[in-house]
Amino acid sequence: GDGNTSTEQNPTHTYAGAGEYTIVFTVTNPGGCGDTLTRQNFITVRPTPTVDASVNNALSCDINEAFAFTVQPIAGATYSWDFGDSTLSTAQNPTHVYGQAGSFQPCLTLTNLQGCPATVCLDSIRIRPPEAAFSAETTDGCVPLEVNIVNESTSEVEPIVSWEWTFENGDPATGTFSDSSVVT
């Protein structure tokens, strides 16, 4: 039906396109006698849907951000979302809160009216809150001890724009501060 042939006794054939296909089968014995059987539209290959899905944002610093997923609708289709954190949804256009930092791979399996599934995975969603970190050149010494504190905080999503230091257990501290935390 698609122009390909085989001389195998029990062939396997892959149809690359949707449609109905006719099979013509001819057998011949060593004496030269044979027979042909034609089955019109014997094979039906249903179309696989094309999935067009997206998410409103793929990078956030907020573990409570609601991510909005959308898909171009296909009449009568069913939707099965796997958000990559063991959470599932059958909504066409769901929203999802991950509630924790990390990288997550959301995937959608769309099944059309003909029962044919297609799966698409979106770019990984990364949730990265800023991380506070610092070091000190000196952490031990005699009074008066001047300590140079180095801010080593990082942020993948947005630059850090404010810093607050609290020096406890003693008199107010004085010192110099080096800022290496602004990441764009």
Side-chain angles (χ1 to χ4, degrees):
D2 65 357
N4 290 299
T5 62
S6 174
T7 58
E8 295 179 25
Q9 181 178 355
N10 298 301
T12 298
H13 181 67
T14 301
Y15 291 88
E20 292 187 341
Y21 296 92
T22 298
I23 295 181
V24 178
F25 178 51
T26 302
V27 293
T28 308
N29 67 16
C33 300
D35 188 29
T36 298
L37 172 64
T38 300
R39 296 231 174 131
Q40 296 288 332
N41 301 324
F42 185 68
I43 303 293
T44 301
V45 180
R46 296 181 307 263
T48 301
T50 300
V51 182
D52 183 12
S54 62
V55 63
N56 65 320
N57 188 14
L59 183 61
S60 178
C61 65
D62 183 0
I63 63 171
N64 295 310
E65 180 170 338
F67 291 87
F69 295 87
T70 57
V71 62
Q72 281 298 118
I74 295 177
T78 60
Y79 307 89
S80 178
W81 288 93
D82 179 341
F83 297 113
D85 64 349
S86 301
T87 305
L88 308 174
S89 174
T90 57
Q92 178 182 330
N93 296 312
T95 58
H96 182 65
V97 174
Y98 284 92
Q100 61 186 348
S103 292
F104 307 94
Q105 181 71 68
C107 296
L108 168 65
T109 299
L110 183 146
T111 304
N112 64 14
L113 276 174
Q114 294 80 19
C116 297
T119 300
V120 63
C121 292
L122 305 178
D123 290 339
S124 290
I125 291 177
R126 295 181 308 151
I127 302 172
R128 301 277 192 258
E131 293 184 25
F134 66 89
S135 64
E137 293 176 1
T138 302
T139 60
D140 186 35
C142 300
V143 172
L145 179 63
E146 184 175 294
V147 177
N148 184 22
I149 301 172
V150 179
N151 177 6
E152 297 171 340
S153 302
T154 61
S155 177
E156 284 185 45
V157 180
E158 296 173 328
I160 297 170
V161 295
S162 69
W163 304 262
E164 182 177 327
W165 298 90
T166 302
F167 302 99
E168 298 179 351
N169 299 329
D171 295 330
T174 60
T176 58
F177 303 96
S178 174
D179 177 16
S180 62
S181 66
V182 176
V183 179
T184 58

